[in-house]
Amino acid sequence: MKDYIEERAIQIANYIIENNATVRQTAKQFGISKSTVHKDVTERLMQINPTLAKETRKVLDVNKQERHIRGGMATREKYQHMHKD
């Protein structure tokens, strides 16, 4: 694996942990696709730093459990703004 990919995977993992970030937020921050973020933290990071990979996985699992709530809140906000006009 190339050095810059390993470095990116570690930076992504640290960003997710520090900011409690979602895959989508992380992809936007780093200017890469969601698929790349996911592959970096699930596959590549396990080979580089398994401990960091497990910590990142915990944050992503929590985000996954909460995503239906976030989606509902976003939809609610959207319709509240539409009715104010």
Side-chain angles (χ1 to χ4, degrees):
M1 194 177 329
K2 304 223 187 240
D3 288 342
Y4 76 92
I5 294 176
E6 288 183 13
E7 185 65 34
R8 181 185 68 205
I10 291 169
Q11 287 176 341
I12 286 171
N14 287 327
Y15 178 80
I16 289 172
I17 293 167
E18 289 169 11
N19 298 293
N20 236 4
T22 63
V23 170
R24 186 176 294 233
Q25 291 167 335
T26 306
K28 190 173 184 180
Q29 176 70 27
F30 284 84
I32 56 178
S33 72
K34 293 185 297 180
S35 303
T36 303
V37 170
H38 195 266
K39 187 168 181 107
D40 279 357
V41 297
T42 56
E43 294 175 23
R44 296 179 177 134
L45 196 59
M46 260 323 235
Q47 297 170 2
I48 302 165
N49 186 337
T51 308
L52 188 60
K54 288 175 185 160
E55 295 235 357
T56 307
R57 184 84 249 157
K58 286 179 193 172
V59 174
L60 293 178
D61 286 345
V62 169
N63 288 339
K64 190 174 182 179
Q65 291 171 352
E66 294 175 350
R67 73 178 168 195
H68 67 283
I69 297 167
R70 283 195 205 106
M73 289 169 43
T75 304
R76 182 173 175 229
E77 256 184 59
K78 172 184 166 185
Y79 285 106
Q80 284 178 336
H81 288 297
M82 288 174 64
H83 292 299
K84 288 183 180 178
D85 295 337

